[in-house]
Amino acid sequence: MTLRVTVWGENVHEKKHPLVAEIYPKGMHQCIADALNTDPELRATCATLDMPEHGLTEKVLAETDVLTWWGHTAHGKVDDAIVDRVQKRVLQGMGLIVLHSGHHSKIFKRLMGHNCDLVWREAGEKERLWVVNPAHAIVQGLPAWIDIEHEEMYGEPFGIPNPDEVVFLSWFAGGEAFRSGVTYRRGGGKIFYFRPGHETYPTYHQKEIQQVLRNAVKWARPEGHAPWGAPERPVAKAIEPITEYGGSVH
Amino acid sequence: MTLRVTVWGENVHEKKHPLVAEIYPKGMHQCIADALNTDPELRATCATLDMPEHGLTEKVLAETDVLTWWGHTAHGKVDDAIVDRVQKRVLQGMGLIVLHSGHHSKIFKRLMGHNCDLVWREAGEKERLWVVNPAHAIVQGLPAWIDIEHEEMYGEPFGIPNPDEVVFLSWFAGGEAFRSGVTYRRGGGKIFYFRPGHETYPTYHQKEIQQVLRNAVKWARPEGHAPWGAPERPVAKAIEPITEYGGSVH
Amino acid sequence: MTLRVTVWGENVHEKKHPLVAEIYPKGMHQCIADALNTDPELRATCATLDMPEHGLTEKVLAETDVLTWWGHTAHGKVDDAIVDRVQKRVLQGMGLIVLHSGHHSKIFKRLMGHNCDLVWREAGEKERLWVVNPAHAIVQGLPAWIDIEHEEMYGEPFGIPNPDEVVFLSWFAGGEAFRSGVTYRRGGGKIFYFRPGHETYPTYHQKEIQQVLRNAVKWARPEGHAPWGAPERPVAKAIEPITEYGGSVH
Amino acid sequence: MTLRVTVWGENVHEKKHPLVAEIYPKGMHQCIADALNTDPELRATCATLDMPEHGLTEKVLAETDVLTWWGHTAHGKVDDAIVDRVQKRVLQGMGLIVLHSGHHSKIFKRLMGHNCDLVWREAGEKERLWVVNPAHAIVQGLPAWIDIEHEEMYGEPFGIPNPDEVVFLSWFAGGEAFRSGVTYRRGGGKIFYFRPGHETYPTYHQKEIQQVLRNAVKWARPEGHAPWGAPERPVAKAIEPITEYGGSVH
């Protein structure tokens, strides 16, 4: 069954910075979508900040199995009502892949309940991603490690809840280490944060990184058809007989 | 060393409903604070919704080691700026004990990243709390189970992230089971959600429940003096030499 | 792709106790295998204690995607070498479903690192299983709860590590609550413990229970083709140049 | 209240390898115990492999709040009955700090239910330990990172269950990253694995490492006076009336 993926891109750097436009002439989002669409099981389409409702209408989200999110310079411009909507869909079961500087997006901070702060350095240094669990779905088809020749550095402490799983650790030439691939579950939704992807480097053109993205999207597919529970609601009648009861002020 | 506890109470039912006022003449918060203050290691004071800044000024929070939170009918009246402030202090290390209908408070939903929905029934039925881990700090001095003669029922599914630990399970006479005591860690802050405590029953007068509250507050004490990391910030210089580097558009 | 399931049964009660033989004339294991085989994606075969190597030869395990385990009265008769073999396959990625009194099997205690103790009562009372996360793969197609008219009771404390996920909670007529469906990951292997299934009741004939078994087996399928890492081994050469080094006594 | 620590050392390298004996003339265990005993809240004594019952008699363990474990070359010589005994005490509430090559000790593998495999390289390279959560009890008083000039490298994949918390990450000069400080809870016992400490380097003389050890021992102190539950046992009588019941073959 085809998995419907919506690739969300902020689409700001691509328009303002010639270097970024040169690396990603169709936008970072389109590069990611193209990488996903090489897999016949996946059907990825794009949505961007500048579209009405940021391209994330009720209809689009209802027909999205997994959403990927890249943002950086315009987190504050994302409408809170859209963040509410995305959170609701994640709790219902939609998968969410948060990329690189999306660590500080409203939706990631919302779902983590955390500040998601970290330290960074932009020096184009080498990053090496180590596979922590070689049997995990997200690392299938990868070697024991992935080298990215030039990347921005992200360092600990990373202000996130203890992850369900740490899938990748990064080693940086400048001397730092980082939890670069971490998973969470929130309601029905599976969430994967993946660190690499600074806009001034061709990271999303790298074939191993594209493999991670395809794997992650498949890993995050909804497990069930049932939505997350009912809304908060009362249960009028007990299943078992209750012989005594107290008063109520509701 | 004395632990400084702030007991936050919504203080609305107590003023509107004669039955609640009769059970808790000084307010539910004062009943909880009194129970904590029987322990010489604890010094509990109260703060309520109707106070300026809901009684949770920067100064009060800076001098609070553990905050307890009971709210129900007025969650929406809690100022978002105060919620931000409490979240920040929890990430820094302040403990947080969320009680009963506080499951739907802004601060709990914020820290969980979840809707925290559940089902409920107010029929004054019997609740039995089972201790899941008898070696946990929160259950010290308790029997294998606690019976509460009359309580509101909360039922699964409870819309929370998978807890770090399940400390109590509830059995209800009407036929439900529930994860009634669960722990989380967010940054430096330890969080405990404890289910019992509907306003129309004398639950917080019960001695085993008071023991849980004292234990929980001690368990949640800050572990360290260090705040949670630095804010999101750049690292200008690498520790190790970086021999090659790329450009930057920052 | 067909999922290869091996259903392991102790097959002792069925031969000794007329009541059990009456309920499960082909053995409990065959009843479970038949329930799995109603799904065309699954191909289940049986293995029992009395077979050579308990039916779990290297070849059988190498060709097993998911193993289910029911044992009770003869845990001590399971050869330690077979337990080693099963553990190794789980770490490599084979799924494992542990049923009912299998909580005290050698393989479950081995993988948990725990005593897995609990309390029990055999009074044929009603058990009600509550779904904790309605979006989980294991509960698809189920109602909000499952009633089993007559079952043995298992009560807390259950001596297990904090689970990754609690999927079911049980309510018992006699007054207990229990974590009846819990998941773990060990290496590549996904593990699900599922409480119901006492030999003197027709639990595995119940259609909702059969649905849980089919769902669980599919949930536990291996995620990857890669085995769990390499064995413990040295790395002769560093990827990066190491300019200084100390001595060695190896 | 004084915390009673037993420092277990294999005490084999110290006697066979002149370099190790030169670095640790009183044994690695005594160096660790001395570091702990600089804190008036701690009272550390040593036990070694060559003592009767490896120095871990029932009496010694009953009077131990936290046990630290360093072993390497003689894991196989540790008596299984002693491993059983230590595991039982951990489940009851005794803390356990596993050091460096203790990752492959019987007791660690037992409690993890895992093979605990990893890759290693002994090249005396630089290790840098990054603090992942600056508010954690185990890192109090430490800087943002610790440099160890010469250490053995341990690399991922590390064959352990997903930790409750990752407290330290290591960066190695040769190009690897590793989860160097991880916590678990098993029953009442808190467990901390800490990577550094190869016998041919003076790691346990380093003051930041000694601070970690003191912090870890305090963090791992038993939370309660209650032992872990009762043993597996039947409950003869139900709390609530059971109106119908089935037969029994027990």
Side-chain angles (χ1 to χ4, degrees):
Chain A
M1 201 179 67
T2 304
L3 205 62
R4 303 162 301 176
V5 185
T6 300
V7 176
W8 194 85
E10 193 179 78
N11 197 25
V12 173
H13 291 296
E14 294 93 326
K15 294 188 288 189
K16 287 192 179 167
H17 301 116
L19 174 58
V20 181
E22 189 185 319
I23 301 172
Y24 296 108
K26 293 185 292 178
M28 300 177 79
H29 44 280
Q30 194 58 53
C31 176
I32 292 168
D34 289 348
L36 298 177
N37 283 325
T38 60
D39 187 318
E41 289 181 47
L42 306 179
R43 198 189 66 221
T45 53
C46 294
T48 53
L49 181 67
D50 48 11
M51 293 167 70
E53 303 184 44
H54 313 324
L56 300 173
T57 61
E58 290 280 5
K59 184 173 187 307
V60 165
L61 286 177
E63 295 172 353
T64 296
D65 294 314
V66 182
L67 176 69
T68 74
W69 193 279
W70 194 101
H72 180 211
T73 196
H75 292 319
K77 292 189 179 159
V78 176
D79 191 325
D80 286 337
I82 305 299
V83 177
D84 292 347
R85 190 185 283 169
V86 174
Q87 179 186 23
K88 194 177 160 195
R89 273 291 291 144
V90 170
L91 296 182
Q92 282 175 345
M94 181 180 74
L96 178 69
I97 313 297
V98 177
L99 297 169
H100 189 61
S101 43
H103 78 283
H104 240 213
S105 62
K106 285 183 178 180
I107 184 62
F108 192 57
K109 292 198 283 189
R110 173 77 66 86
L111 285 159
M112 295 295 102
H114 233 281
N115 55 28
C116 304
D117 288 345
L118 49 76
V119 301
W120 78 86
R121 175 177 57 238
E122 198 179 340
E125 67 204 87
K126 183 188 287 187
E127 174 176 14
R128 177 171 299 124
L129 289 145
W130 286 95
V131 169
V132 166
N133 183 343
H136 199 282
I138 293 177
V139 305
Q140 294 310 299
L142 296 179
W145 73 85
I146 304 170
D147 276 356
I148 304 178
E149 285 309 306
H150 300 288
E151 253 294 350
E152 184 182 24
M153 182 282 291
Y154 278 7
E156 299 279 351
F158 186 14
I160 49 173
N162 291 304
D164 291 351
E165 304 168 307
V166 177
V167 178
F168 292 105
L169 289 186
S170 281
W171 175 99
F172 289 97
E176 279 85 0
F178 193 74
R179 293 170 293 171
S180 277
V182 293
T183 75
Y184 295 91
R185 181 166 190 143
R186 291 292 178 267
K190 295 166 95 172
I191 301 171
F192 178 57
Y193 171 77
F194 188 50
R195 201 214 73 82
H198 192 60
E199 68 272 9
T200 59
Y201 310 110
T203 301
Y204 295 126
H205 289 289
Q206 190 169 330
K207 71 180 196 314
E208 296 96 334
I209 300 300
Q210 294 186 350
Q211 183 67 35
V212 173
L213 296 176
R214 283 188 295 266
N215 289 345
V217 158
K218 290 179 182 180
W219 167 85
R221 77 170 66 218
E223 290 189 349
H225 311 295
W228 171 262
E232 175 104 343
R233 69 180 170 79
V235 185
K237 199 174 157 0
I239 307 166
E240 303 294 326
I242 299 170
T243 46
E244 290 183 275
Y245 59 91
S248 166
V249 297
H250 272 295
Chain B
M1 202 179 67
T2 304
L3 207 62
R4 301 162 301 176
V5 186
T6 299
V7 176
W8 194 85
E10 192 179 79
N11 197 24
V12 173
H13 291 296
E14 294 94 325
K15 293 189 287 191
K16 287 192 181 166
H17 302 115
L19 174 58
V20 181
E22 189 185 318
I23 300 173
Y24 295 107
K26 293 186 291 180
M28 301 178 78
H29 44 280
Q30 194 59 52
C31 176
I32 292 168
D34 289 349
L36 297 177
N37 282 325
T38 61
D39 188 318
E41 289 182 46
L42 306 178
R43 199 188 66 223
T45 52
C46 294
T48 54
L49 181 67
D50 48 11
M51 293 168 71
E53 303 182 46
H54 312 324
L56 300 173
T57 61
E58 290 281 5
K59 184 173 187 309
V60 164
L61 287 177
E63 295 172 352
T64 297
D65 295 313
V66 181
L67 177 68
T68 75
W69 192 280
W70 194 100
H72 180 212
T73 196
H75 292 319
K77 292 189 179 158
V78 176
D79 191 325
D80 285 338
I82 304 298
V83 176
D84 292 347
R85 190 185 284 171
V86 173
Q87 179 186 24
K88 194 177 161 195
R89 273 290 292 145
V90 169
L91 297 182
Q92 283 175 345
M94 182 180 73
L96 179 68
I97 313 299
V98 177
L99 297 169
H100 188 63
S101 43
H103 77 282
H104 240 213
S105 62
K106 287 184 178 179
I107 184 61
F108 192 58
K109 292 199 284 189
R110 173 77 66 84
L111 285 160
M112 296 295 101
H114 233 280
N115 55 28
C116 304
D117 287 345
L118 47 78
V119 301
W120 78 86
R121 176 177 57 238
E122 199 178 340
E125 68 203 86
K126 183 188 285 185
E127 174 176 15
R128 176 171 300 123
L129 289 145
W130 286 95
V131 169
V132 165
N133 183 343
H136 199 282
I138 293 177
V139 305
Q140 294 309 299
L142 296 179
W145 74 84
I146 304 171
D147 276 357
I148 305 177
E149 285 309 307
H150 300 288
E151 253 294 352
E152 184 182 23
M153 183 282 290
Y154 279 9
E156 298 280 350
F158 185 15
I160 49 172
N162 290 305
D164 292 349
E165 305 169 306
V166 177
V167 179
F168 292 104
L169 290 185
S170 282
W171 176 98
F172 289 97
E176 279 85 359
F178 193 75
R179 293 169 292 169
S180 278
V182 293
T183 74
Y184 295 92
R185 180 165 191 145
R186 290 292 178 268
K190 295 165 93 171
I191 300 172
F192 178 57
Y193 172 78
F194 188 51
R195 200 213 74 83
H198 192 59
E199 67 272 9
T200 59
Y201 309 110
T203 300
Y204 295 127
H205 289 290
Q206 190 169 332
K207 71 180 198 312
E208 296 96 336
I209 300 300
Q210 294 186 349
Q211 182 68 35
V212 173
L213 297 176
R214 282 188 296 265
N215 289 345
V217 158
K218 290 179 183 181
W219 167 83
R221 76 171 66 218
E223 289 189 349
H225 310 295
W228 172 263
E232 175 104 346
R233 68 181 171 78
V235 184
K237 197 172 160 358
I239 307 167
E240 304 293 327
I242 300 169
T243 46
E244 290 183 276
Y245 58 91
S248 165
V249 297
H250 273 291
Chain C
M1 201 179 67
T2 304
L3 205 63
R4 303 162 300 175
V5 185
T6 299
V7 176
W8 194 85
E10 193 180 78
N11 197 24
V12 174
H13 291 296
E14 294 94 325
K15 294 188 287 190
K16 287 192 180 167
H17 302 115
L19 174 58
V20 180
E22 190 185 318
I23 301 172
Y24 296 107
K26 294 186 291 179
M28 300 177 78
H29 44 280
Q30 194 58 53
C31 176
I32 292 169
D34 289 349
L36 297 177
N37 283 324
T38 61
D39 187 318
E41 289 180 47
L42 306 178
R43 199 188 67 222
T45 52
C46 294
T48 53
L49 181 67
D50 48 11
M51 294 168 70
E53 304 183 45
H54 312 324
L56 301 173
T57 61
E58 290 280 4
K59 184 173 188 307
V60 165
L61 287 177
E63 295 172 353
T64 297
D65 295 313
V66 182
L67 176 68
T68 74
W69 193 279
W70 194 101
H72 181 211
T73 196
H75 292 319
K77 292 189 179 158
V78 176
D79 191 325
D80 286 336
I82 305 299
V83 177
D84 293 347
R85 190 185 282 170
V86 173
Q87 178 186 23
K88 194 177 161 194
R89 273 290 291 144
V90 169
L91 296 182
Q92 282 175 345
M94 181 181 73
L96 179 68
I97 313 297
V98 177
L99 297 169
H100 188 62
S101 43
H103 78 283
H104 241 214
S105 62
K106 285 183 179 180
I107 184 61
F108 191 57
K109 292 198 283 188
R110 173 77 66 86
L111 285 161
M112 295 295 102
H114 233 282
N115 54 28
C116 304
D117 288 344
L118 49 77
V119 301
W120 78 85
R121 176 178 56 239
E122 198 178 340
E125 68 204 88
K126 182 188 287 185
E127 174 177 14
R128 177 171 300 122
L129 289 145
W130 286 96
V131 169
V132 166
N133 182 343
H136 199 282
I138 295 177
V139 306
Q140 294 309 299
L142 296 180
W145 74 84
I146 304 170
D147 276 355
I148 304 177
E149 284 310 306
H150 300 288
E151 253 294 350
E152 183 181 24
M153 182 282 292
Y154 278 8
E156 299 280 350
F158 186 14
I160 49 172
N162 292 304
D164 291 350
E165 305 168 308
V166 177
V167 178
F168 291 105
L169 290 186
S170 281
W171 175 99
F172 288 97
E176 278 85 359
F178 193 75
R179 293 170 293 170
S180 277
V182 293
T183 76
Y184 294 92
R185 180 165 191 145
R186 290 292 178 267
K190 295 165 95 172
I191 301 171
F192 178 58
Y193 171 77
F194 188 51
R195 201 214 73 83
H198 192 60
E199 67 273 9
T200 59
Y201 309 109
T203 301
Y204 296 126
H205 289 289
Q206 190 168 331
K207 71 180 196 313
E208 296 96 333
I209 300 300
Q210 294 186 350
Q211 183 67 35
V212 172
L213 296 177
R214 283 188 295 266
N215 290 345
V217 158
K218 290 180 182 179
W219 167 84
R221 77 170 68 218
E223 290 190 347
H225 311 295
W228 172 262
E232 175 104 344
R233 68 179 172 81
V235 184
K237 198 174 158 356
I239 307 167
E240 304 293 326
I242 299 170
T243 46
E244 291 183 274
Y245 59 91
S248 166
V249 297
H250 272 293
Chain D
M1 202 179 69
T2 303
L3 207 62
R4 302 162 302 174
V5 186
T6 300
V7 175
W8 194 84
E10 193 180 79
N11 197 23
V12 174
H13 291 297
E14 294 93 325
K15 293 187 288 190
K16 287 192 180 167
H17 302 115
L19 174 58
V20 181
E22 189 185 319
I23 300 172
Y24 296 106
K26 294 185 292 180
M28 300 178 80
H29 44 281
Q30 194 58 53
C31 176
I32 292 168
D34 290 348
L36 298 177
N37 282 325
T38 60
D39 188 318
E41 288 181 46
L42 306 178
R43 199 188 67 221
T45 53
C46 293
T48 54
L49 181 67
D50 48 12
M51 293 167 71
E53 303 182 48
H54 313 323
L56 301 173
T57 60
E58 290 281 5
K59 185 173 186 309
V60 164
L61 287 176
E63 295 172 353
T64 296
D65 295 313
V66 181
L67 176 68
T68 75
W69 193 281
W70 194 100
H72 181 211
T73 196
H75 293 319
K77 293 190 179 158
V78 176
D79 191 326
D80 286 338
I82 305 297
V83 177
D84 293 347
R85 189 185 284 170
V86 173
Q87 178 186 23
K88 194 177 160 194
R89 274 290 292 145
V90 169
L91 296 181
Q92 282 176 345
M94 182 180 72
L96 179 69
I97 313 297
V98 177
L99 296 169
H100 188 63
S101 43
H103 77 283
H104 241 213
S105 62
K106 287 183 177 180
I107 184 62
F108 192 58
K109 291 199 283 189
R110 173 77 66 85
L111 285 160
M112 295 296 101
H114 233 281
N115 54 28
C116 305
D117 288 345
L118 47 78
V119 301
W120 77 87
R121 176 178 57 239
E122 198 179 341
E125 67 203 86
K126 183 188 286 186
E127 173 177 15
R128 177 172 298 123
L129 289 145
W130 287 95
V131 169
V132 166
N133 183 341
H136 198 283
I138 293 177
V139 305
Q140 295 308 299
L142 296 178
W145 73 84
I146 303 171
D147 276 357
I148 304 178
E149 284 310 306
H150 300 288
E151 253 294 351
E152 185 182 24
M153 183 281 291
Y154 278 9
E156 300 279 350
F158 185 15
I160 49 172
N162 291 305
D164 291 350
E165 305 168 307
V166 177
V167 179
F168 292 104
L169 290 186
S170 281
W171 175 98
F172 288 97
E176 279 86 359
F178 193 75
R179 293 169 292 169
S180 277
V182 293
T183 75
Y184 295 92
R185 181 166 190 144
R186 290 293 179 266
K190 296 166 94 171
I191 300 172
F192 178 58
Y193 172 76
F194 188 51
R195 200 213 73 82
H198 192 59
E199 67 273 9
T200 59
Y201 310 110
T203 301
Y204 295 126
H205 288 289
Q206 191 169 330
K207 71 181 198 313
E208 296 95 334
I209 300 300
Q210 294 186 350
Q211 183 67 35
V212 172
L213 297 176
R214 282 188 296 265
N215 289 345
V217 159
K218 289 179 182 180
W219 167 83
R221 76 170 67 216
E223 290 189 349
H225 310 295
W228 171 263
E232 175 104 344
R233 69 180 171 80
V235 184
K237 198 174 159 357
I239 307 167
E240 304 293 327
I242 300 169
T243 46
E244 290 183 276
Y245 59 91
S248 166
V249 297
H250 272 292

